[in-house]
Amino acid sequence: MDLLNETLSKIRPLDEAAMENARERQDQLTKPAGSLGVLEEISIKLAGITGEVINNVDKKTVVVMAGDHGVVDEGVSAFPREVTPQMVANFVNGGAAINVLSRHVGANVIVVDVGVAVPIENASVLSRKVKSGTANFAKEPAMTRDEAVKAIEVGIEVANELIDDGVRLLATGDMGIGNTTPSSAILVALTGTPVDGMVGRGTGIGNGDLDHKKKVIADAIGFHGPDRNDPIDVLAKVGGLEIAALAGLVLGAAARRTPVVIDGFISGAGALVAGHLSPLSRDYMIASHVSVEPGHRAILDELGLRPMLYMDMRLGEGTGAALAMGMVDAATKVIS
Amino acid sequence: MDLLNETLSKIRPLDEAAMENARERQDQLTKPAGSLGVLEEISIKLAGITGEVINNVDKKTVVVMAGDHGVVDEGVSAFPREVTPQMVANFVNGGAAINVLSRHVGANVIVVDVGVAVPIENASVLSRKVKSGTANFAKEPAMTRDEAVKAIEVGIEVANELIDDGVRLLATGDMGIGNTTPSSAILVALTGTPVDGMVGRGTGIGNGDLDHKKKVIADAIGFHGPDRNDPIDVLAKVGGLEIAALAGLVLGAAARRTPVVIDGFISGAGALVAGHLSPLSRDYMIASHVSVEPGHRAILDELGLRPMLYMDMRLGEGTGAALAMGMVDAATKVIS
């Protein structure tokens, strides 16, 4: 059996008995029942995920999946494609916001080249390139179905390697100039909602460009006709390599009963694909923040997740998820 | 000049030049302008508060002000008054949620007896008792005007002592069985809003008790007629000793150009009093979470503050503020 299907078959429901034990323990602690709100809910969810009431998430890693997007040729982004490898270099040099915030919460950062357009010559970047950027989905499918599966499997493999290495809490992060466009396209294609309200300014395009971005997305979905009941078809036709890998990371975490904190809009699109491939995988996701990007709320609602942080962030990289990892850590401490 | 008026006279506007320098620095960092949202706003606010673009809040303290409430005799609380000294003991033993969460963010906790009803024989509790609990404001004023001023000055003194000791970030916390009742009363009295929507279940009273609690508050305000333009009159007639001390802590922090993170509903009531005594003091406040207690949102709106954390917490003690201290710390790091 291939890795994707094997992983999907391993995702099981939460451990209800462990959750009940965690609930009982929370109610015995010196405080009015439920008064720590989401911190208590997370501690109970973690019990369901791991099977243990007391959890330790000291070893945590933010995984930044990087990829480029052919659709940038359509003028949908405020930044040029060259920024993707520049930021990848910045991440491994420790100089980006995600590095600062990960250090703040005691998390490692790993950067995976799933599909950057140019060669990345840096031993600190995990080299798992499936393809040198997607094709321009305004004109042809972003990738083949095989490439989409391979990119998902990159995420599964990374999750497995990290968990084998003792990591107990994962977070999703992304880098890819233009990647709000495929994220919106995935959201629209998987949910069947109209593009209005699901497409935003990304890193900061103006009004005219926003209308154009909406048209590019709506036209591509009309042209390719992705099958909303087949998330891999959606990924292949209008998705992204790093988004596929993020979906894989979530599935890999769920199959190994490991919690995974979901960052903003792009990570949310990956999580949405994971949730459509395996509805049970949603139980292993922990939402972090609600992004400025308008479709993010729709993704969280679709996944049944509630964000903790309202901080108007829209950087990606995993920055919101890193902050939320600190909250998950706090949740393990209030039940200990 | 007395300490309160001296403190009020020292509260100055934010340093606009330092804020502008912080804004410029944020825009030079490797990220789309504004993409770190509230983290950037906090870093700019801190610059305005301290006058420095780069700030270090490693030394931080949560101040838990404790007091009892005569109005508990009216049956407005789910817990008996005896719980106040029990929790005070728990705090100094390090066993409460606030201790766990403060350790998590690297903050100290200090507990101040401003008005616990029984003697507190514990050298680890800062003994600043103004009065052994307020009087039952359903029948008489909670305290005299002098006592209200003294309790505010306790907060100012504690702020001064901590800042003299090198603390660079303060947070408010509270302990006092029954203290959502005076907090709602203060909110209603200072803003002139009707009690509906401003009174909640505290630690968990039922529907009938909630109606009774509303009536107790509305009747007391009708009976005492606190002057909404005189926050000290409001405190004296329907307030609480620990709430007055929290107002003082905020004012003391503002006078010393030190940021103070505001916890939930009770701390919010203290901050509201501070904001009415000195509108400029609002600029020194950082909101943390939005509590389940319904009046909390009204307080934040009135103070012009936006909370970062949506975690359905309703414990008090400073627990939400402690978590938000971690965010303030993160904000200092993203600009460093």
Side-chain angles (χ1 to χ4, degrees), chain B residues 288-309:
Chain B
S288 57
H289 74 122
V290 60
S291 154
V292 173
E293 195 64 20
H296 189 212
R297 173 71 74 169
I299 289 178
L300 293 170
D301 288 347
E302 175 80 9
L303 288 169
L305 298 176
R306 276 184 56 205
M308 293 177 260
L309 309 178

PDB file of all heavy atoms in Angstrom, chain B residues 288-309:
ATOM      1  N   SER B 288      -5.561  41.813  27.682  1.00  0.00           N
ATOM      2  CA  SER B 288      -5.114  40.426  27.505  1.00  0.00           C
ATOM      3  C   SER B 288      -6.186  39.601  26.814  1.00  0.00           C
ATOM      4  O   SER B 288      -6.170  39.440  25.603  1.00  0.00           O
ATOM      5  CB  SER B 288      -4.745  39.818  28.853  1.00  0.00           C
ATOM      6  OG  SER B 288      -5.829  39.871  29.769  1.00  0.00           O
ATOM      7  N   HIS B 289      -7.153  39.135  27.568  1.00  0.00           N
ATOM      8  CA  HIS B 289      -8.157  38.228  27.000  1.00  0.00           C
ATOM      9  C   HIS B 289      -9.543  38.824  27.144  1.00  0.00           C
ATOM     10  O   HIS B 289      -9.729  39.829  27.811  1.00  0.00           O
ATOM     11  CB  HIS B 289      -8.094  36.865  27.700  1.00  0.00           C
ATOM     12  CG  HIS B 289      -8.658  36.863  29.101  1.00  0.00           C
ATOM     13  ND1 HIS B 289      -9.685  36.038  29.475  1.00  0.00           N
ATOM     14  CD2 HIS B 289      -8.327  37.568  30.209  1.00  0.00           C
ATOM     15  CE1 HIS B 289      -9.952  36.233  30.755  1.00  0.00           C
ATOM     16  NE2 HIS B 289      -9.146  37.149  31.221  1.00  0.00           N
ATOM     17  N   VAL B 290     -10.505  38.194  26.473  1.00  0.00           N
ATOM     18  CA  VAL B 290     -11.892  38.584  26.705  1.00  0.00           C
ATOM     19  C   VAL B 290     -12.527  37.448  27.490  1.00  0.00           C
ATOM     20  O   VAL B 290     -12.509  36.291  27.101  1.00  0.00           O
ATOM     21  CB  VAL B 290     -12.631  38.939  25.397  1.00  0.00           C
ATOM     22  CG1 VAL B 290     -12.676  37.779  24.429  1.00  0.00           C
ATOM     23  CG2 VAL B 290     -14.029  39.445  25.700  1.00  0.00           C
ATOM     24  N   SER B 291     -13.052  37.819  28.643  1.00  0.00           N
ATOM     25  CA  SER B 291     -13.590  36.850  29.585  1.00  0.00           C
ATOM     26  C   SER B 291     -14.996  36.427  29.172  1.00  0.00           C
ATOM     27  O   SER B 291     -15.665  37.082  28.371  1.00  0.00           O
ATOM     28  CB  SER B 291     -13.622  37.511  30.959  1.00  0.00           C
ATOM     29  OG  SER B 291     -14.594  36.953  31.792  1.00  0.00           O
ATOM     30  N   VAL B 292     -15.457  35.325  29.753  1.00  0.00           N
ATOM     31  CA  VAL B 292     -16.834  34.884  29.552  1.00  0.00           C
ATOM     32  C   VAL B 292     -17.810  35.864  30.205  1.00  0.00           C
ATOM     33  O   VAL B 292     -18.954  36.003  29.769  1.00  0.00           O
ATOM     34  CB  VAL B 292     -16.997  33.464  30.157  1.00  0.00           C
ATOM     35  CG1 VAL B 292     -18.445  33.009  30.146  1.00  0.00           C
ATOM     36  CG2 VAL B 292     -16.123  32.460  29.404  1.00  0.00           C
ATOM     37  N   GLU B 293     -17.353  36.561  31.227  1.00  0.00           N
ATOM     38  CA  GLU B 293     -18.216  37.496  31.974  1.00  0.00           C
ATOM     39  C   GLU B 293     -18.697  38.594  31.007  1.00  0.00           C
ATOM     40  O   GLU B 293     -17.883  39.281  30.371  1.00  0.00           O
ATOM     41  CB  GLU B 293     -17.402  38.077  33.134  1.00  0.00           C
ATOM     42  CG  GLU B 293     -18.190  38.768  34.220  1.00  0.00           C
ATOM     43  CD  GLU B 293     -19.132  37.858  34.993  1.00  0.00           C
ATOM     44  OE1 GLU B 293     -18.942  36.613  34.978  1.00  0.00           O
ATOM     45  OE2 GLU B 293     -20.074  38.380  35.599  1.00  0.00           O
ATOM     46  N   PRO B 294     -20.015  38.758  30.854  1.00  0.00           N
ATOM     47  CA  PRO B 294     -20.516  39.579  29.750  1.00  0.00           C
ATOM     48  C   PRO B 294     -20.111  41.055  29.797  1.00  0.00           C
ATOM     49  O   PRO B 294     -19.936  41.677  28.747  1.00  0.00           O
ATOM     50  CB  PRO B 294     -22.038  39.425  29.846  1.00  0.00           C
ATOM     51  CG  PRO B 294     -22.299  38.959  31.242  1.00  0.00           C
ATOM     52  CD  PRO B 294     -21.103  38.150  31.644  1.00  0.00           C
ATOM     53  N   GLY B 295     -19.931  41.614  30.989  1.00  0.00           N
ATOM     54  CA  GLY B 295     -19.582  43.027  31.066  1.00  0.00           C
ATOM     55  C   GLY B 295     -18.151  43.327  30.650  1.00  0.00           C
ATOM     56  O   GLY B 295     -17.795  44.493  30.434  1.00  0.00           O
ATOM     57  N   HIS B 296     -17.332  42.283  30.511  1.00  0.00           N
ATOM     58  CA  HIS B 296     -15.918  42.527  30.232  1.00  0.00           C
ATOM     59  C   HIS B 296     -15.716  43.225  28.894  1.00  0.00           C
ATOM     60  O   HIS B 296     -14.905  44.137  28.756  1.00  0.00           O
ATOM     61  CB  HIS B 296     -15.134  41.211  30.288  1.00  0.00           C
ATOM     62  CG  HIS B 296     -13.661  41.406  30.237  1.00  0.00           C
ATOM     63  ND1 HIS B 296     -12.808  40.513  29.658  1.00  0.00           N
ATOM     64  CD2 HIS B 296     -12.886  42.426  30.681  1.00  0.00           C
ATOM     65  CE1 HIS B 296     -11.572  40.976  29.755  1.00  0.00           C
ATOM     66  NE2 HIS B 296     -11.587  42.116  30.370  1.00  0.00           N
ATOM     67  N   ARG B 297     -16.481  42.786  27.916  1.00  0.00           N
ATOM     68  CA  ARG B 297     -16.381  43.396  26.593  1.00  0.00           C
ATOM     69  C   ARG B 297     -16.717  44.889  26.650  1.00  0.00           C
ATOM     70  O   ARG B 297     -16.049  45.718  26.010  1.00  0.00           O
ATOM     71  CB  ARG B 297     -17.324  42.649  25.639  1.00  0.00           C
ATOM     72  CG  ARG B 297     -17.453  43.258  24.288  1.00  0.00           C
ATOM     73  CD  ARG B 297     -16.220  43.099  23.450  1.00  0.00           C
ATOM     74  NE  ARG B 297     -16.080  41.737  22.983  1.00  0.00           N
ATOM     75  CZ  ARG B 297     -15.214  41.362  22.053  1.00  0.00           C
ATOM     76  NH1 ARG B 297     -14.406  42.250  21.499  1.00  0.00           N
ATOM     77  NH2 ARG B 297     -15.122  40.109  21.684  1.00  0.00           N
ATOM     78  N   ALA B 298     -17.743  45.224  27.431  1.00  0.00           N
ATOM     79  CA  ALA B 298     -18.138  46.636  27.565  1.00  0.00           C
ATOM     80  C   ALA B 298     -17.009  47.455  28.186  1.00  0.00           C
ATOM     81  O   ALA B 298     -16.755  48.597  27.788  1.00  0.00           O
ATOM     82  CB  ALA B 298     -19.406  46.746  28.411  1.00  0.00           C
ATOM     83  N   ILE B 299     -16.327  46.863  29.167  1.00  0.00           N
ATOM     84  CA  ILE B 299     -15.202  47.569  29.803  1.00  0.00           C
ATOM     85  C   ILE B 299     -14.094  47.823  28.786  1.00  0.00           C
ATOM     86  O   ILE B 299     -13.549  48.933  28.691  1.00  0.00           O
ATOM     87  CB  ILE B 299     -14.664  46.758  31.003  1.00  0.00           C
ATOM     88  CG1 ILE B 299     -15.663  46.800  32.159  1.00  0.00           C
ATOM     89  CG2 ILE B 299     -13.295  47.281  31.436  1.00  0.00           C
ATOM     90  CD1 ILE B 299     -15.248  45.978  33.373  1.00  0.00           C
ATOM     91  N   LEU B 300     -13.751  46.792  28.020  1.00  0.00           N
ATOM     92  CA  LEU B 300     -12.675  46.941  27.036  1.00  0.00           C
ATOM     93  C   LEU B 300     -13.042  47.996  26.003  1.00  0.00           C
ATOM     94  O   LEU B 300     -12.211  48.826  25.619  1.00  0.00           O
ATOM     95  CB  LEU B 300     -12.378  45.596  26.366  1.00  0.00           C
ATOM     96  CG  LEU B 300     -11.775  44.530  27.297  1.00  0.00           C
ATOM     97  CD1 LEU B 300     -11.750  43.167  26.607  1.00  0.00           C
ATOM     98  CD2 LEU B 300     -10.367  44.926  27.731  1.00  0.00           C
ATOM     99  N   ASP B 301     -14.301  47.968  25.547  1.00  0.00           N
ATOM    100  CA  ASP B 301     -14.744  48.971  24.573  1.00  0.00           C
ATOM    101  C   ASP B 301     -14.635  50.376  25.170  1.00  0.00           C
ATOM    102  O   ASP B 301     -14.156  51.304  24.515  1.00  0.00           O
ATOM    103  CB  ASP B 301     -16.192  48.703  24.144  1.00  0.00           C
ATOM    104  CG  ASP B 301     -16.297  47.476  23.244  1.00  0.00           C
ATOM    105  OD1 ASP B 301     -15.245  46.998  22.765  1.00  0.00           O
ATOM    106  OD2 ASP B 301     -17.425  46.984  23.043  1.00  0.00           O
ATOM    107  N   GLU B 302     -15.081  50.512  26.397  1.00  0.00           N
ATOM    108  CA  GLU B 302     -15.049  51.812  27.083  1.00  0.00           C
ATOM    109  C   GLU B 302     -13.605  52.325  27.223  1.00  0.00           C
ATOM    110  O   GLU B 302     -13.335  53.520  27.120  1.00  0.00           O
ATOM    111  CB  GLU B 302     -15.704  51.648  28.459  1.00  0.00           C
ATOM    112  CG  GLU B 302     -15.660  52.849  29.360  1.00  0.00           C
ATOM    113  CD  GLU B 302     -16.726  53.901  29.049  1.00  0.00           C
ATOM    114  OE1 GLU B 302     -17.618  53.617  28.232  1.00  0.00           O
ATOM    115  OE2 GLU B 302     -16.631  55.009  29.616  1.00  0.00           O
ATOM    116  N   LEU B 303     -12.673  51.394  27.435  1.00  0.00           N
ATOM    117  CA  LEU B 303     -11.268  51.782  27.592  1.00  0.00           C
ATOM    118  C   LEU B 303     -10.547  51.893  26.241  1.00  0.00           C
ATOM    119  O   LEU B 303      -9.388  52.305  26.188  1.00  0.00           O
ATOM    120  CB  LEU B 303     -10.529  50.765  28.471  1.00  0.00           C
ATOM    121  CG  LEU B 303     -10.882  50.793  29.965  1.00  0.00           C
ATOM    122  CD1 LEU B 303     -10.299  49.578  30.675  1.00  0.00           C
ATOM    123  CD2 LEU B 303     -10.374  52.090  30.607  1.00  0.00           C
ATOM    124  N   GLY B 304     -11.228  51.510  25.168  1.00  0.00           N
ATOM    125  CA  GLY B 304     -10.595  51.540  23.844  1.00  0.00           C
ATOM    126  C   GLY B 304      -9.505  50.488  23.698  1.00  0.00           C
ATOM    127  O   GLY B 304      -8.535  50.684  22.956  1.00  0.00           O
ATOM    128  N   LEU B 305      -9.666  49.368  24.368  1.00  0.00           N
ATOM    129  CA  LEU B 305      -8.655  48.305  24.321  1.00  0.00           C
ATOM    130  C   LEU B 305      -9.188  47.100  23.549  1.00  0.00           C
ATOM    131  O   LEU B 305     -10.377  46.794  23.597  1.00  0.00           O
ATOM    132  CB  LEU B 305      -8.303  47.858  25.739  1.00  0.00           C
ATOM    133  CG  LEU B 305      -7.690  48.910  26.668  1.00  0.00           C
ATOM    134  CD1 LEU B 305      -7.493  48.304  28.050  1.00  0.00           C
ATOM    135  CD2 LEU B 305      -6.371  49.425  26.121  1.00  0.00           C
ATOM    136  N   ARG B 306      -8.264  46.435  22.845  1.00  0.00           N
ATOM    137  CA  ARG B 306      -8.661  45.220  22.118  1.00  0.00           C
ATOM    138  C   ARG B 306      -7.937  44.021  22.725  1.00  0.00           C
ATOM    139  O   ARG B 306      -6.719  44.016  22.813  1.00  0.00           O
ATOM    140  CB  ARG B 306      -8.261  45.337  20.650  1.00  0.00           C
ATOM    141  CG  ARG B 306      -9.280  46.083  19.821  1.00  0.00           C
ATOM    142  CD  ARG B 306      -8.857  46.058  18.366  1.00  0.00           C
ATOM    143  NE  ARG B 306      -8.668  44.702  17.897  1.00  0.00           N
ATOM    144  CZ  ARG B 306      -7.888  44.362  16.881  1.00  0.00           C
ATOM    145  NH1 ARG B 306      -7.193  45.263  16.235  1.00  0.00           N
ATOM    146  NH2 ARG B 306      -7.783  43.109  16.501  1.00  0.00           N
ATOM    147  N   PRO B 307      -8.684  42.993  23.104  1.00  0.00           N
ATOM    148  CA  PRO B 307      -8.043  41.803  23.683  1.00  0.00           C
ATOM    149  C   PRO B 307      -7.378  40.958  22.598  1.00  0.00           C
ATOM    150  O   PRO B 307      -7.792  40.985  21.437  1.00  0.00           O
ATOM    151  CB  PRO B 307      -9.220  41.045  24.296  1.00  0.00           C
ATOM    152  CG  PRO B 307     -10.387  41.421  23.436  1.00  0.00           C
ATOM    153  CD  PRO B 307     -10.146  42.850  23.000  1.00  0.00           C
ATOM    154  N   MET B 308      -6.320  40.226  22.988  1.00  0.00           N
ATOM    155  CA  MET B 308      -5.627  39.342  22.054  1.00  0.00           C
ATOM    156  C   MET B 308      -6.127  37.906  22.111  1.00  0.00           C
ATOM    157  O   MET B 308      -6.087  37.196  21.128  1.00  0.00           O
ATOM    158  CB  MET B 308      -4.138  39.259  22.438  1.00  0.00           C
ATOM    159  CG  MET B 308      -3.378  40.515  22.267  1.00  0.00           C
ATOM    160  SD  MET B 308      -1.666  40.252  22.837  1.00  0.00           S
ATOM    161  CE  MET B 308      -1.764  41.003  24.454  1.00  0.00           C
ATOM    162  N   LEU B 309      -6.520  37.492  23.321  1.00  0.00           N
ATOM    163  CA  LEU B 309      -6.786  36.074  23.562  1.00  0.00           C
ATOM    164  C   LEU B 309      -8.278  35.834  23.722  1.00  0.00           C
ATOM    165  O   LEU B 309      -8.931  36.502  24.528  1.00  0.00           O
ATOM    166  CB  LEU B 309      -6.061  35.615  24.828  1.00  0.00           C
ATOM    167  CG  LEU B 309      -4.566  35.944  24.908  1.00  0.00           C
ATOM    168  CD1 LEU B 309      -3.993  35.466  26.242  1.00  0.00           C
ATOM    169  CD2 LEU B 309      -3.817  35.307  23.749  1.00  0.00           C
TER     170      LEU B 309
END
